[in-house]
Amino acid sequence: MRIGGNVLLKDAAAVQSYAYDMYRPLGNLQNVISHLDDYECDEICITRPTRNVDPIASFDSDIHFLKYINSSTPISFGGGLRSTHHIEKLVGLPIERLHFSSAFIIKNIELILYAKKLFGGQAIQCCLPISRINKEFYVLNSATNRYCELNEIDFEFINLYANEIILIDTNNEGYNHAFDFRILDQIKLNPRKILLSGGMSTESIYRAKKLGVTGILIDNKILHCENSIWKIKHGKM
Amino acid sequence: MNGQFANLRLVVTHQVNIIDVGLGNTASMEDWLEARNIHCTTVQSPAEITANTIVLPGAGSAGTFMRRLRSSGFADEIIKLVKTDCKLIGICLGFQVMFERSEEDGGVECLGLLEGIVEKLKGSEPHNGWENFNLDKSTIDFNGKYWPANAVRRKKITGRVYYNHEYGIVTSSKNYQTIPINGLLRNYVGMLIYRNIIGMQFHPEKSQSTGKTILEFLVK
């Protein structure tokens, strides 16, 4: 099972977030990436936490920083990838994979196939931010900032076009031992195509491994000394 | 004094050209090479090729990649340069297109530098993740000569490498030195060395310390 790190990129700087809401500055993105390289993280997932309107100037600014990132660890990038124009700007950047969220929710097949042509089918990931509201699970469409019921999501389409699917427990993002595994009961997908994120720590990692998921992405705590990925990977916890 | 040093000139011993057709992670490749003090330039036309070592990184689909190689003139130039003993290093899709044919995109004729085909991976979902890597440097035959194992350096490269692909290479030729992908995918080629042609299905530029060691061994 792969163990990766989830890093948020907001206004050209790395941030931490809690429950998909509060943001706290983390500093220079390259510093964060360099630490994850040193920890021998299996992969790094860089996400722009976009909600609704995402000005192209903001995207360009973030891409500008991404262009100069130096890392020998595989990187997946996403957040605000909503047109072919966005995809074209990513060609040649030091990233291997792309993750799409609203594009899969609204079934933007043209965009997904365009990305597949430029980056390969193996590079396409689907990212589903999931929230539990009044005992029911919903998927957040970041482009409209609206929650969708699970039965509105075409999981067959996602399974067909996404190489892997990232499930984010937004309620517990940034917290300890908190990932809600009931999400997997609601979303019937091949565990070998699933990565989990949001409230991941040691106990949840062991449980994820037993369930046979392909990987986990540790969110906020990844750089904290007391919960570092290095310790998790090398069995020091 | 001036006469003594008048004819001195700086000679760069390791030069690499990275082929850029608008697909592939050229940025990471440059970082990967520069980190080992290997001078490299990215080239966008065959006329710009000056080095004795060419790196062909690839990403995307085989059909799109081969179309761009042909339309840019790189396809013919690569075939010509390989015959002149220029070292060619293909990575991921760049490695796959060295073979005769790929099943991707309904069937694509590739460069035909090596015998074999590229097919959709059987027995596994798309292959994403890390595999163990073991290479005994003393057994590698470059261009008919054995690579001398340096007595003060480790003779073996061991570690892990990163794979991310949906298609794999199958070859039955006995002329190639190959290392298979581990586990269920042992019938597919992970790495190949044949005279001046080197190919890696994994991404050495994203394989952390093992990747850096492999690079140093192959390029220097």
Side-chain angles (χ1 to χ4, degrees), chain B residues 165-181:
Chain B
H165 58 123
E166 290 185 312
Y167 288 79
I169 296 161
V170 178
T171 180
S172 55
S173 173
K174 304 291 181 208
N175 297 323
Y176 308 146
Q177 291 180 282
T178 59
I179 299 174
I181 302 172

Side-chain angles (χ1 to χ4, degrees), chain A residues 56-71:
Chain A
I56 196 69
S58 174
F59 182 83
D60 287 344
S61 171
D62 290 342
I63 294 303
H64 175 76
F65 277 89
L66 202 60
K67 188 178 172 183
Y68 298 103
I69 287 298
N70 190 340
S71 173

Side-chain angles (χ1 to χ4, degrees), chain A residues 2 40-42 69-75 91-97 116-122 163-164 190 192 233, chain B residues 22-28 31 59-61 64 68 124-126 128-130 160 162 164-166 205-209 212:
Chain A
R2 308 191 319 254
E40 293 184 340
C41 196
D42 288 341
I69 287 298
N70 190 340
S71 173
S72 59
T73 301
I75 291 177
V91 174
L93 293 188
I95 56 178
E96 281 64 52
R97 312 183 81 182
K116 188 176 175 181
K117 188 174 77 168
L118 295 184
F119 286 85
Q122 74 286 343
N163 186 266
E164 288 180 339
N190 182 353
R192 291 175 68 176
K233 276 180 62 72
Chain B
L23 296 172
N25 192 341
T26 52
S28 288
D31 290 338
S61 68
T64 306
R68 292 197 185 191
S124 172
E125 284 85 14
N128 308 313
W130 295 82
R160 64 175 198 160
Y162 175 72
N164 178 222
H165 58 123
E166 290 185 312
E205 78 282 10
K206 291 289 176 162
S207 294
Q208 298 168 341
S209 56
K212 290 174 185 167

Side-chain angles (χ1 to χ4, degrees), chain A residues 89-109:
Chain A
K89 294 213 164 195
L90 301 178
V91 174
L93 293 188
I95 56 178
E96 281 64 52
R97 312 183 81 182
L98 307 177
H99 51 273
F100 298 86
S101 186
S102 54
F104 273 99
I105 294 171
I106 65 172
K107 301 203 298 186
N108 190 342
I109 183 70

Side-chain angles (χ1 to χ4, degrees), chain A residues 9 28 34 54 63 83 106 128 137 169 191 205 211 214 227:
Chain A
L9 176 64
N28 182 274
S34 296
D54 180 31
I63 294 303
S83 72
I106 65 172
L128 296 178
F137 288 103
D169 180 354
I205 290 168
L211 290 170
T214 201
N227 282 302

